[in-house]
Amino acid sequence: MQYAIPFNKPYLSGNEARYIEEAVRSGKISGDGIFTKRCHTFFEQQLGFQKVLLTTSCTDALELAALLLDLQPGDEVIMPSFTFVSTPNAFVLRGAKIVFADSTAENPNMDVAALESLVTPRTRAIVPVHYAGIACDMDAIQAVAARHNLTVVEDAAQAIDSFYKGRPLGTIGALGAFSFHETKNITSGEGGMLAINDKQYANRAEIIREKGTNRSSFFRGEVDKYGWVEVGSSFLPSDIIAAFLWAQIENMAVIQQRRKDIWERYYTALQPLMAQGVGLPIVPDYATNNGHMFYLVCRNLAERSALITHMRQLQISPVFHYLSLHKSPFYADKHDGRELPWSDHYTDCLVRLPLYHELNESLQQRVIDGVLSFYKGR
Ligand SMILES: *Cc1c(COP(=O)(O)O)cnc(C)c1O
């Protein structure tokens, strides 16, 4: 079903095909070519990241992170239940046990106040997810991690160009994973990046990303031959992907300004619904908004279903989001039985509104009018 106003349309700068052609003509289209280096340099020199590596997806960046942590079967990793499958899946692949945390009443981010009660002697890592690009309370998370010697891996898939107390998200924990999937602010169709913020992981991250070989050191002339030095995989994207990504990164300021403007317009127009008990995104003082997502929290599941039906009749496609992973077919019988009511609440009640570059003011007004007409008299 095609809607006049879909949920998402990927932004295109117009230079994507040109840069891909350039990459093709350069004669080197495997990983770590000129466009990959350009992307790495941008993040390291302009955005203040210590070290980054492009990956084929955020899923792969998380899998790389899980390999770096050397998890043993039975080790525990704490993360929210209200997240994408890839967040736990990366660690389950290493044999880890996932301890799911609840979200907060304020927003879907993990409840930091209850975090320490989930720590056991087997806990190895905490994986906060910055939902909608809005920061989790990182000082509180880092404090728990420091007290129990845990590693923090930020799932910053949605959090490009967003900050916690002035620091870029994804650079605060030891590792940070980003996504450039078509639905994210900056995209290469499929794509991702690992930020390595703790030096102890820098060398091994390169090795694991290159099939467990020290090939990156070899290309820098640090060793005179390369070989198999540990278990790894192939997580580096073709330079064709990086060329596409570069065309987006170059236009990041334009993309971000537009998304934030759309977000602000939604917020201003829909704020009156709060008096009726409808939830709007809450951005804590320590966080910024990167315009990744605008959502409403309906009062119950029936209301959300009716709102989506109403909007679809208007040729507009809002969409709900995650289903609590502690209740998923794969994990339900492995979960420890704790109720996670806020995670379930967002599963039932959260709905995301269309937000993309081409959503001009008159199209957005149709979305706003649709939502307001639904709530009139309710
Ligand atoms: C999109 C997303 C992912 C997965 O990203 P891919 O690049 O598609 O692998 C992981 N976690 C969160 C929170 C996401 O939003």
Side-chain angles (χ1 to χ4, degrees):
M1 179 73 193
Q2 281 287 353
Y3 294 94
I5 304 180
F7 170 65
N8 180 54
K9 277 190 188 180
Y11 164 85
L12 290 174
S13 77
N15 282 331
E16 286 81 358
R18 191 155 72 83
Y19 292 158
I20 286 173
E21 194 180 340
E22 221 179 283
V24 171
R25 281 178 198 280
S26 81
K28 187 181 180 302
I29 51 175
S30 57
D32 285 336
I34 48 172
F35 284 102
T36 302
K37 294 208 169 79
R38 234 176 252 178
C39 294
H40 286 175
T41 303
F42 172 83
F43 284 101
E44 290 169 359
Q45 293 185 1
Q46 314 233 356
L47 293 191
F49 286 61
Q50 221 179 88
K51 180 178 175 66
V52 300
L53 292 171
L54 291 193
T55 58
T56 29
S57 63
C58 179
T59 302
D60 280 346
L62 289 163
E63 287 177 19
L64 210 175
L67 278 160
L68 277 171
L69 297 193
D70 269 334
L71 295 176
Q72 302 303 312
D75 283 349
E76 295 176 8
V77 180
I78 302 171
M79 65 181 66
S81 176
F82 193 75
T83 183
F84 190 59
V85 175
S86 299
T87 324
N89 193 68
F91 297 90
V92 168
L93 275 170
R94 312 299 342 134
K97 178 181 165 201
I98 309 300
V99 176
F100 284 116
D102 204 1
S103 299
T104 67
E106 187 175 58
N107 66 36
N109 286 342
M110 69 196 272
D111 182 4
V112 168
L115 185 58
E116 200 148 23
S117 70
L118 302 178
V119 175
T120 77
R122 295 302 308 265
T123 309
R124 293 284 317 282
I126 306 171
V127 187
V129 178
H130 304 296
Y131 188 80
I134 295 167
C136 297
D137 186 352
M138 290 307 294
D139 282 349
I141 292 170
Q142 294 283 83
V144 172
R147 275 199 291 280
H148 300 276
N149 197 21
L150 312 176
T151 307
V152 175
V153 178
E154 297 175 70
D155 182 336
Q158 305 173 9
I160 196 125
D161 189 38
S162 205
F163 298 83
Y164 173 80
K165 297 186 180 174
R167 297 169 69 188
L169 296 184
T171 68
I172 301 165
L175 300 160
F178 290 87
S179 175
F180 302 121
H181 183 262
E182 174 179 297
T183 52
K184 305 302 200 286
N185 292 25
I186 308 289
T187 173
S188 54
E190 303 280 355
M193 180 172 82
L194 184 70
I196 299 119
N197 314 315
D198 181 339
K199 275 197 183 62
Q200 66 161 307
Y201 295 115
N203 191 34
R204 284 185 59 227
E206 285 185 346
I207 290 169
I208 293 169
R209 178 171 169 267
E210 273 276 27
K211 299 92 180 165
T213 72
N214 54 352
R215 193 167 142 151
S216 298
S217 299
F218 173 71
F219 283 129
R220 280 195 301 262
E222 294 163 7
V223 291
D224 56 14
K225 50 183 180 293
Y226 77 86
W228 187 18
V229 293
E230 79 158 284
V231 63
S233 190
S234 187
F235 292 130
L236 72 172
S238 152
D239 217 47
I240 293 175
I241 299 282
F244 191 106
L245 186 66
W246 179 248
Q248 302 255 318
I249 286 176
E250 265 191 341
N251 286 280
M252 196 156 127
V254 174
I255 295 170
Q256 289 300 92
Q257 192 55 54
R258 181 62 161 265
R259 295 191 73 103
K260 288 184 211 172
D261 288 348
I262 294 171
W263 196 101
E264 289 295 338
R265 224 178 286 132
Y266 271 139
Y267 194 88
T268 306
L270 298 176
Q271 208 173 12
L273 296 178
M274 289 172 79
Q276 282 171 263
V278 178
L280 264 62
I282 294 173
V283 184
D285 287 341
Y286 53 68
T288 59
N289 161 42
N290 68 347
H292 174 61
M293 183 198 299
F294 191 88
Y295 64 82
L296 298 174
V297 184
C298 299
R299 289 170 294 191
N300 53 56
L301 175 59
E303 180 177 292
R304 185 182 72 179
S305 304
L307 172 62
I308 291 175
T309 303
H310 171 86
M311 298 298 278
R312 287 187 175 167
Q313 281 159 358
L314 299 170
Q315 282 297 305
I316 299 165
S317 180
V319 292
F320 57 83
H321 211 185
Y322 304 130
L323 309 176
S324 285
L325 290 175
H326 70 287
K327 291 187 168 172
S328 62
F330 177 67
Y331 219 80
D333 63 354
K334 300 172 187 70
H335 178 62
D336 55 28
R338 279 172 301 116
E339 294 286 334
L340 305 176
W342 285 109
S343 179
D344 293 344
H345 181 69
Y346 296 115
T347 295
D348 288 347
C349 301
L350 187 144
V351 60
R352 299 174 289 161
L353 301 182
L355 202 172
Y356 51 88
H357 195 84
E358 287 171 45
L359 189 76
N360 61 29
E361 275 190 54
S362 75
L363 290 171
Q364 189 182 6
Q365 196 56 48
R366 280 171 61 185
V367 182
I368 291 166
D369 291 344
V371 174
L372 291 177
S373 68
F374 174 79
Y375 276 106
K376 198 163 182 186
R378 269 180 192 261

